[in-house]
Amino acid sequence: MIKLQSVLVLSLVLFSTTGKSQSGQDDQQATVIINTDQGKEIISRHIYGHFSEHLGHCIYGGYWVGMDSEIPNTNGIRNDVVDALRKINIPNLRWPGGCFADEYHWMDGIGPASERPKMVNTHWGGVTEDNSFGTHEFMDLCEQLGTEPVICGNVGSGSVQEMSQWVEYLNFDGISPMADLRRVNGREQAWGVKYWGVGNENWGCGGNMTADFYADQYRRYATFCRSYGKNRLYKIAGGANSADLNWTEILMKKIPHRMMDGLSLHYYTTNWSNKGSATEFGEDLYFDVLKRCLRVEEVIDRHMDIMDRYDPDHRVDLVFDEWGTWYNVEPGTNPGFLFQQNSMRDALVAALTLNYLNDRCKRVKMANIAQTINVLQALIFTEGEKMMLTPTYHIYDMYKVHHDATMLPLSFESPAYNFGDDSLLAVSISASKDRDGIIHLSLVNIDPENSLPLSIDLRGSDEKRVKGTILTSERMNSYNTFENSREVMPAEFKDAKVQKGRVELTLPARSVVVLEIL
Ligand code: AHR
């Protein structure tokens, strides 16, 4: 089997195995060729972005504890969470939703907190939202994190005027009703928000619109989202649900490309008819989830084919602004809060997805995992004063070396990971060169039982030292808890050797390894 990165691999059934039995290991060494002097495309750091919604305990209890809390905080925002997210250089944060965005009225979230109106969060548990976390608190969070805000405006139940005024409030520095109101609320300078979503899932929770209707609405709303001063607004059209190619086709056809910088797309790794447990699974569901994860490649490629037809010059970026695993909620928790555990299987989903997005960085310029804290494929869990990191967090930590690095083209032969009559490619690889010329490889082996020997030919390079980090686990469903938060932890990987531009290593079963080659 040969997998050529940047070449469509649509049907895994086309690949025959290399003689490996269902649980057996062949002795053949997979060979990887990396052209270290041929990189052209930059892997935008925004591919490593995040999504945080007013949902369950993502915002409240996750980031926000309020200024009177005994949990250490700065202006009401947890210090432990900010420290953890700063460590992975979180490049952007999408807010306030999600479905919540299209019922959120931003003016309810400014001014003295005690005077802010309350609302019902109808999508997520029907709980009362007291609006104590609003625009100023979110912008303060972004400043503390050193990250770019990505704000999603309300098309579904909001007006053009409301959205236009929010942009003015955030971004206009002169004298105007909204800029003056911002000053009354304690902020002199405009924030200069760049990334602006015009609605969310408008085919569903964002208004149940048809693609034609939304395309017209987008043109109207986007017209009045102005760029102020030197800050050019980057406008993102609400995109399709997974395989809905028609949505992308209509938007690419009907929206002038000069009005749209990004077109979004959502894809969740889930079986909607039976989501299963985040931790209680055998190899059948392990395989099933990884197969659904890898399907994202075909889904995104097909949307990008449509974009290529209408926009061969790549004026419009693909913004993959919601993705991740979605299981049943943990027993005993509020079904509307979408709280699920996070195991080694989720770490593999993250690593496979990020490797693929790196490879498609020519069109994919932003992606946001759903959701950062306590919701869906979270990186962080909090409970009262406690905070812990999930296996997915560790992937983001290990992969931060790819931020804004040059993607290196590669090709490789991978053995299959077989289960029953089905098979998947066992290995996924991404390579990049950073601004200091250091090469990083992220290597994934999804085979839960077998380690895989690899030989990597670094063409155009004679680097002599290699350092590595590995994330693996005792079981395929190992996970961290508050009691045992180090069950799945990165460790130093010492088993790679480099000599004369060739790296040799054996990738352990169900592992992710990131190598630094200098
Ligand atoms: O991430 C949870 C929800 O999934 C979001 O609110 C919505 O956009 C999507 O359907």
Side-chain angles (χ1 to χ4, degrees), residues 438-472:
I438 299 173
I439 295 168
H440 292 102
L441 311 184
S442 43
L443 309 127
V444 186
N445 175 14
I446 62 173
D447 192 316
E449 297 298 332
N450 301 300
S451 56
L452 299 169
L454 287 182
S455 172
I456 304 171
D457 182 2
L458 294 171
R459 298 216 172 140
S461 143
D462 58 356
E463 272 73 3
K464 298 191 179 54
R465 282 193 297 136
V466 61
K467 289 199 302 191
T469 308
I470 183 167
L471 190 74
T472 185

Side-chain angles (χ1 to χ4, degrees), residues 51 53 98-99 124 200-201 268 322 326 371 376:
F51 168 43
E53 179 169 13
C99 294
W124 307 119
N200 170 74
E201 295 196 352
Y268 282 96
E322 282 186 34
W326 191 320
Q371 300 193 7
L376 298 176

